[in-house]
Each structure stands twice: as C-alpha cells, then as structure tokens.
Amino acid sequence: MANNTADHPSGNSVAEGNHDGDFGCTVMDLRELMELRSGEAVTKIQNTYGDVQGICRRLKTSPVEGLSGNPVDLEKRHTAFGKNFIPPKKAKTFLQLVWEALQDVTLIILEIAAIISLGLSFYHPPGGDSDLCGQASGGAEDEGEAQAGWIEGAAILFSVIIVVLVTAFNDWSKEKQFRGLQSRIEQEQKFTVIRKGQVIQIPVAEIVVGDIAQIKYGDLLPADGIMIQGNDLKIDESSLTGESDQVRKSLEKDPMLLSGTHVMEGSGRMVVTAVGLNSQTGIIFTLLGAGGDDEEKKVKKAKTQDGIALEIQPLKSEEGVESEEKEEKEDKPVKKVNVTKKEKSVLQGKLTRLAVQIGKAGLIMSALTVIILILYFVIDTFGVQQRPWLKECTPIYIQYFVKFFIIGVTVLVVAVPEGLPLAVTISLAYSVKKMMKDNNLVRHLDACETMGNATAICSDKTGTLTMNRMTVVQAYIGDTHYRTVPEPEVLNPQTLELMVNCISINSAYTTKILPPEREGGLPRHVGNKTECALLGLVLELKRDYQPVRDEIPEEKLYKVYTFNSSRKSMSTVLKNTDGSGYRMYSKGASEIILRKCSRILDASGQPRAFKPKDRDEMVRKVIEPMACDGLRTICIAMREFAGEGEPDWDNEAEILSELTCLAVVGIEDPVRPEVPEAISKCQRAGITVRMVTGDNINTARAIATKCGILHPNEDFLCLEGKQFNQQIRNDKGEVEQERLDKVWPKLRVLARSSPTDKHTLVKGIIDSTVGETRQVVAVTGDGTNDGPALKKADVGFAMGIAGTDVAKEASDIILTDDNFTSIVKAVMWGRNVYDSISKFLQFQLTVNVVAVIVAFTGACITQDSPLKAVQMLWVNLIMDTLASLALATEPPTESLLLRKPYGRNKPLISRTMMKNILGHAVYQLVIIFTLLFAGEKFFDIDSGRNTPLHSPPSEHYTIVFNVFVMMQLFNEINARKIHGERNVFEGIHRNLIFCSVVLGTFALQIIIVQFGGKPFSCTALTIDQWLWCVFIGVGELLWGQLITAIPTHRLKFLKEAGHGITKEEIPVEDLNEGTDEIDHAEMELRRGQILWFRGLNRIQTQIKVVNAFRSSLYEGIEKPESRSFIHNFMSHPEFMPLSEAEEARVSVPTIQESGQEVEDFLRGSGGASSSS
C-alpha cells in the first residue's frame, strides 16, 4: 500500500503569474472532470492529463510550493475560473416589506372602514338635513365643522400608514442585521492553503483555482479539488449525495473532493479545481434556481436566510425510531445518531398561545360592541322614536353604522397586542448585538432567549473549562517517574532519540510552536494543543523537531492512522531507508496504548518484557497519581516490522499490537482562573453544570473538583462511558428512558465518553419527564463528532477558536473566546430577554384591558366610545412601539442570576404580574369612569356625552383621553419591575433609551392635545387641567407601591397565562425521538400555509437533475432513497444519516396529502419563520 502521494517533478518551483497565454484547461474542462466519480475520474485524469501533477502543471501551480500569491496571477485566475463566492439572494426591498406589513388582517379591516367613512363623509344626500332622520344631522355648529367629517377617516388611514412603515422599517433593519451577522460568520471562516511554500490561512472567498489547500479532520471543504496526497482520508458526502457511508479517498481509486462535504477522518492536500458557482455545490444551487441562496457560499447554510427555509426534514414514523434503535446496537459509532430538528423555542411557544388567547377575547369583545351599538341605534331610532326609514336618510344611517364598525374594529385593534412581535424582535436584536461584545456570536436568534431558561449545561473540559494551553509537567521514562521534566543528560541518548523522532514525525505537520508575538509573551501554539505540548517537551529536552520533519517530509510517510474519537490514538508508518521492513510510531491515551504494549524500554534503553501485571502496577504507581493531579496521560510507543513481506495495513487490531513503550507523559491543562466563579454563579442560578470529556476518570474528577462542579462530601456520580452505557441500556443494548432517568439527575462527570454517549445523555435529559419541570439543555462542543449533540441540544455552543467547521455549522451560538464565562453571560442575556418581554406584556396588557373595557362600556352606555379610533391607535400603536423599545432594551444585571430558571412550562405571566395588571387596571378604570360620568362637574365644563355625529371635540373627552395617556406613561415606569420589587426607579439612569422614550411620548402627547384638533378629536386644555391630568398619572406610582404591599399568595383567585406546553397536553406519540413539540396554537395560525407546498412540488421535478448527479456515483443502481436527496441537501448537512428503512419511506409531501401530515411538515418552516 503506497502512501497516497503523487510524485512531483523537482524542478517545478513556485508558479509565477507572468506566463503568456492562458491556462492549460478551461472552466468547462474542469467542470466536466469534477462531475465524474471514482473510477471514471481516475481514468479521465490518466487519459487527459497524465496524473494529478499534469493538472497542477496546466494550472501553473506547484504541488509543494503552491501559488506565488502574486496579485496579477490571482486576478487572472479570478477572471478565468471565477471567484469562490455564490452570490446571495437579493434582499427584500423596502416596498416588498411594506406590502407584507399591509397584509395584517386588523389593518386591512381598519383601512376598509376608513375608506368607507371617507367616502360617506363626502356624500351629502339631497334633503338629508331634514328632521326626519332623527338626531343624525343636528348639532353641526356651522358648515365648516360639517365638512370636517373626512378627517377621522383620513387620520385612521394616516396612522395605518405610520404603523406599516414602522413595521416594515423594523423588518428591514432586522434583515440587515441578520445579513451583517451572516457575513461576519463567513468572513471569519478561513482555510489553510500553501502559497510560496508557506502554510497560511486565507478567507474562504479568496481561494482560487490552482491553490494547494491543506485539509484535515473536521474541515468543511470550501471548493472542489483533486487530492494530491492524503493520509487515511475519509469524507462524509451525505450533504451532496444523501449517502450515509463515509467515502474513503485515495489517488488510485477516488481522488475527487467536493465542496460542502465534511472531512471525517485523516488529512491531506488537494489542488483546487472549481470554485463558487462552478463547484458542485454551486451547480446544484444554480439548478435549484437559488443562485446560491443568501450567502449560501461555500458553507452552504442550506437554509434560506429569511428563515422560511426549505428546512424540510424527513417525516419520521414509529418504525423509523425502532430501526434507529436497532442500528444503535451495531457497533458503528459513526452511524448511530439520528439528528432531529430543534423544538420551537420555549418563549415562542408561550407567546403564540398567549396571542391566540388574547386575539379570541378581542374578537368576541369587538363583535359584541358592534352588535350592541347597532341594536341600540336601531331600537332607539325606529323603535322608541318610531321614525320611518327614509330613502334620503340611508347614507346618514350608513355613516352611523360605519362609525360603529370603526369603533368595533378599534376595540379589536386595542385588544390585540401588536407591539408584542416588535418587542420580541427589538429585545432579541438588541441582545444579539450586545452579546457580540460578550464573545457570543448568535447564529439563531431564538437561542438567545432559550438560554435564559437553561436548566443544565453539558460542557467539554478541554479549552472550555481549561485554558487549552497544554504543557508536559511529569514523565515516566526508563523506569523512572520524573515529577518535573528531566534534564536531557539524565536520559539514555538512544531512548531520547527515539522519543524525539516519534513525537516530531507522528504528529500533524501543521502543528507547530512559533515564537511569541511580542517580547516576553508565551510561545504561540498552532494546531492540535496536545501535540503542541509534546513538541514543547522536545524543545525542553533541548532538541528541535523541525530538522527531523525536514528530513522526512510528509510525502515520505508510508501510512498514517490519524487520530479519531474511536481510536483515541495516532500512528505513523515509515519505510526503513535500507528498504527492509517498516517502523511505526504511535501515541495516544495511556490506558489504550499500554494495553497494546508487550515491551518497555528500561533505564539502559533496552526493551524488556511488559506483562499485564507490570501494566497494572504502572497504572497504579504512575498513571493514577498523574491523573489524580488532573494531568492527561499520553503514552508514546513504537514497533518495528521485520523484513518478511508487507503487513496487512487494513487490519488495525493486528498492526496496533506488540508495541514497545518509550515513555508516558503527564500533560497539564490548567483550569481557567475565572471558571470556578462562573460555575458557582451557574449553580446559584439553578443551573446544573455537567462535564463530558474524553479524558480518563481520575483526570476528569480532579479537574471537576478544581472547577467546583464536584464538591467534597456530596453524593454525585462520576461515570466512565462504559459504565454509563451498562447502566442505561437493557439486555438488547437499547437505551431505556427509565434507566437513564435514574442516572442523569446525579451525574456530574462523564469521562472517556464517545460522541454518541454525549448525544444519548443530552437527548435523555431533554426527553426526560422526571422532576417538576422539563429540562432545557445547553451543550458545548468543538469536534466534528459533537455535531449531533450540538444539534439535539436546546442551545448548542461551538468553540470559535478550537471548533471545527462542522461543529460551528451545527451550533446556535459560537463562543468567540472559547470561554465558559461567556456562557454565563449568555444565560444572563437570555433571562434578560425573557424578563424584557414579560415587562412589556405587563405594560401592554394593562393598556389593553383598560382600553377594551372603556371602549366597550362607553360604547354601550353612550353610543360612542370615549376614546376615539385615532386616539386608540395612538395609544395602541405608537405608544406600544415606543414602550417596546423602552422596556426591551433594559440592560441585564447580575441579580438575574440569583433566581432559578423558569423552565419550559412556567407561564409567561406570573401571578405577581397578573396582580399588577389587574391592580393597575382597577385604578385606571375607576378614574376613567369617574371622569366620564362626573368629570364635567368636577372640571366645570360641558358634558361630552351623547354629542351628535361630526360635532367638534369636547374638552371633557379630551381630558379623559389625556388622563388615560398620563396613567399609561407612569405605569410604564411601574412595568420596569415584574418580581414585585419596590424600587421601580432602580438603574433608570443607565437606560437612556427608556428615559428618552418616556420624555418623548410626553412631549408628543402635549402636541397632540394642544394642536391635534379635529383629527385627534382634541381641544387645547388649560394649565390647571394639565396639572390635574399629570397628578392623576403620578397616582399610578403610589398605587403601584400599594399593590406591591399585597402578598400575592393571599390572592388565590389569580390565574397565570401564557403557559408552555405541559406534559399532560403532549400526546404520547409526540414524546418519541422524531417529533417536536406540536404547538396547537401555532397550528391554528398555519392553515393557510398549505398553499406553500405547491412550490415544493416544483422541487420534485428538479430531483431528476439530482438523480443524474447521483447515478454517476452508483452506476446503474437505483436506490430507494433517491427521493430523499433534496431533504438531506436542504436541511443542514446532516451528520448522521437515516437508517435504510426510514430513508426508503421519506417523501416530499404533495398537496394531496392529509392536512395533518402537512401540518407536521410545516413545523419545520414555522419554527424557522417565527424565529428569524
């Protein structure tokens, strides 16, 4: 088995950009080449180009030195082969957003009513002024006033326009922010290429055809290419082909590497042959007519950014779940986990239910208002006054009816809290912006509030809790345990030589130790941190690793078994220089490598037998003491293969045996100094922190104790992956939830765990129904294998520095500094979002309750709402918009971390809030009704009740309106506290937005009352009247103190509102793996979206294209899963594919399928659209 290396002509130096003529192949040649697979591709390369070197020559690049990086050359390549960029979908224009905002039903009803009102006000029927029409016409003081009938209709239309513009502007800025975030994520994505012989990282968009790219475990390939050299390279191509098996790449069989696929194992180099729209991903996007949906670029986020993503997930059924569990029994860790979509965010579920409840109540109230008004008018006019219905009076009657209708609609408008989505959006957008400063890059908006509800965090150890700056501090070499790194003189020179060679060669050549950036700093560790620690040991032993690597470049490595989570070791095979036999160097977790050792080097550097009893003694005397100091132990070993014949390299168990142990080293990774404090904050906040690590149990326990995850004398479990699996699986090897429920509540440390264990644990905790609330779980991860757990968790955190592309792709939030304290900040922001929305609800619902009751009773008693349509709109829309801005931008405080998390089923409106809402409503209603029915006596003015149509605004009703607004203004200050705190002014000076909104609203109110005139139905008030209004408003603050004094637990009658889904409400089948929380409220809102599926049917026609793409992979074999291709492609690149049985059943629903199925289906898009 040759090492997959192409021999390169020695003379081919760096390709300069001053070549005459063009390149030796065109874009189309390369495109055709990249569409071939495996055998066909190899033949084509041999026939057309000779070998991969031939392609490099034609592309004028050197396989060793790479491109020159000369700007002229790069520009030429851009022109010839295109840029590595898939143009984003055009953003919606402002006008489109305005049009969307106009689709709101309540607004449409208002518009219609306003237009009818306008039309009628211009129509003056002949003889319409006769007395016969009753009081309808009287009361117009003069012609000018009668002409002003159009003002109300115009004012309503005007306020509708304002609302639409505000909404559209909001959507527009949200979209803009999202795109900014997206492009930021993309700019941060870099890839390693070789230019001028130097290994450098460049942004993905700058990769050109002809670049030599270095690829390694965990990369997401940014462009198409052909492999030049590879070690044990395996690629997951399911995002392109829908095939779950990992594809092994080699020069002889299949050297084609495609963009958008994931490197699951190994490393290598490739020459880039197609970028951007010419790469395989780009071609498919072009076929799907997406032109590369929003920044789909190389990363192919497979999710259109406005969130109504084609996030079509395969529908699953019970059999699917069973087959998945059967599959788990087989020992194939890679294929185990089936990634399901996230449930709808906790807050959204609650808000949707609440909105539907409020909407229904509002509809009933408004219908009642209209019916009562019309009946009263009809009975009064035709019954009591016994007037005949005259033809010429009809327009006037209709005008009355329209007025009633407008009042009814206004009640509805006031009842529905339009400001709510606005408050949610502002709050989230504001938080996301600020979280950026706290090193949290939020990829999915709703993750931010879900984090506030988190009850459990499953954290990695390395890099998150520790500094990820590894150093060797102890060593066992030649029968001696050194507590500090020994001087090179005390070691046997032969042993030392072997160690240096083993460490230098058997590590990724991309791992290096570079000099510090500034004087006196620490040396920079580049690449794998554990390998850096070993290279650091070489330097401490006063040797250098670079000359060894120069002598044996990567091309000379015969075979490499790269590190992966199942091997937990890495080995490199070299062919001996004299051609006789091979030598293999290995390193890995000490307990794994020692089991495979049969000899060990003694003090004189001679191998002696190493029996199981010696091994047990070594574990007891060396490895356990090191682990108990919190050190990670790594064993370094080697093996000689004598000359006779070539070993069977694919039989790993055989190859990795009979090793000779050279040394065992203890590597320290110090705990980050700020972590213990952060963890104790989490524990105070009611969040359980669990550590899930691949390290051995003693090391894990020591670190967990240092961090404060474990406290002495507490009854907690520390398990190894193996014990964990024994305890949670039944005899058939299936995971049982009941068994898991016995384990997880006490589990604090899971050591030697595989990615599957992590996923099982996370899924088990999320699905668990023990305990009073359902758990909300956050998970941190950095490796490719953490993908499934990150996707399954309610919030997945990926590491920004150490994380692989695959992990970032699966995550919701990226920690740009890899630090655990940033997670605590995220919790704080999340709780703040939740509280901001509760504050806004408390304010908004008080306004709604009062306005609806006033409008309803006023209308029924005086045939006219005391608050006019335009005034209502001012209170409801403008004030609410501003209030949502004011209350949603409160900065978080540390005190948020002193209470327990709300959990999934705690209602949005707590009993304390309900007490506040009802308490303030009582105060406001008493004041308003007093003013309404006795205000004229108190202020000594004319009564405004029972005025005829089109009469001028009265002082009386202006005062009622003004007092109402003043009370809301001061109640906004009360709404700043929702947990019954007394000091509502605390920290108000820190929130400039709040202060400016309150003052701004006050100023606008003065303008409206003094100068609003007819459109706002206001007359100017005197200074005395103003002072009274403000005084009554200030009474709100005093009343608020009174309400706070009443203990909530005494008020048994208070109900909560806006629950999450409780356990009892979830149908049994919904607790299965594949289903999300069905939000019944959401379903009511979603019937109309079924039409959307017609669009999906078009996709079915495009599957033909895809089949052509796949059939070249499996010549002539038509697999039943081919229809699922679009699913796999359109959802995130799936890590762990479906089982065969399930995949055969996946189909894209057509419009004829039952509503329920479509409903399930919609949840994919629903969750996304409401969250974006």
Side-chain angles (χ1 to χ4, degrees), residues 249-287:
K249 297 288 179 184
S250 67
L251 281 170
E252 302 80 54
K253 297 204 179 73
D254 183 4
M256 312 308 268
L257 302 167
L258 307 177
S259 57
T261 58
H262 295 109
V263 183
M264 297 311 270
E265 219 172 281
S267 62
R269 289 207 309 268
M270 70 171 187
V271 57
V272 176
T273 52
V275 292
L277 288 172
N278 296 313
S279 66
Q280 291 303 303
T281 307
I283 293 171
I284 291 186
F285 274 115
T286 321
L287 290 177

Side-chain angles (χ1 to χ4, degrees), residues 13 268 717 817 921 1094:
S13 65
L717 285 176
D817 63 346
R1094 302 221 165 115

Side-chain angles (χ1 to χ4, degrees), residues 991-1003:
N991 192 351
L992 284 174
I993 302 181
F994 186 86
C995 301
S996 45
V997 163
V998 171
L999 295 173
T1001 317
F1002 189 64

Side-chain angles (χ1 to χ4, degrees), residues 105-114 156 160 362 365-367 369-370 373 402-416 418 869 872-873 876:
V105 184
T106 39
L107 289 182
I108 293 174
I109 299 175
L110 268 181
E111 286 154 28
I112 295 171
I156 293 178
V160 165
M365 291 293 276
S366 65
T369 313
V370 176
L373 282 171
V402 170
K403 180 179 159 188
F404 298 151
F405 183 58
I406 289 181
I407 291 173
V409 173
T410 314
V411 172
L412 176 64
V413 170
V414 174
V416 177
E418 268 99 351
M872 291 267 220
L873 285 172
N876 191 42

Side-chain angles (χ1 to χ4, degrees), residues 347 351 354 417 419-420 423-424 427 430 828-847 879-880 882-893 895-896 899 902 907-910 912-914 916-917 920 968 970-981 983-988 990-991 994:
L347 180 68
L351 282 175
L354 191 67
L420 195 54
V424 177
S427 183
Y430 171 76
M828 209 154 84
W829 277 107
R831 292 187 172 191
N832 192 49
V833 168
Y834 204 92
D835 279 8
S836 297
I837 288 161
S838 294
K839 286 171 190 174
F840 174 73
L841 271 174
Q842 179 173 303
F843 169 74
Q844 166 91 56
L845 292 179
T846 313
V847 179
M879 277 187 65
D880 289 358
L882 291 171
S884 65
L885 190 66
L887 291 168
T889 52
E890 290 269 317
T893 56
S895 61
L896 286 168
R899 60 173 175 74
Y902 287 143
L908 259 181
I909 297 171
S910 62
T912 311
M913 285 169 63
M914 204 50 125
N916 291 344
I917 291 171
H920 287 291
Q968 302 321 329
F970 286 98
N971 193 30
E972 201 168 319
I973 299 173
N974 279 330
R976 290 185 69 239
K977 300 290 176 218
I978 49 175
H979 298 298
E981 298 92 331
N983 182 3
V984 290
F985 290 102
E986 182 193 357
I988 198 164
R990 282 209 308 277
N991 192 351
F994 186 86

Side-chain angles (χ1 to χ4, degrees), residues 184 188-190 201 216-219 439 441 462-464 466-469 525-529 672 781-783 797-805 807-808 811 813-820 822:
R184 182 173 158 174
E188 287 192 346
Q189 208 208 349
K190 292 198 159 58
Q201 287 210 322
K216 60 180 186 311
Y217 159 79
D219 283 343
N439 302 314
L441 180 74
T462 309
T464 316
T466 59
M467 289 167 81
N468 203 8
R469 186 169 179 94
H525 286 183
V526 181
N528 180 309
K529 301 294 188 256
R672 287 176 182 263
D782 52 7
F797 286 92
M799 300 298 146
I801 304 168
T804 58
D805 297 345
K808 290 179 188 172
S811 68
I813 297 179
I814 296 174
L815 295 179
T816 48
D817 63 346
D818 289 12
N819 194 335
F820 189 82
S822 305

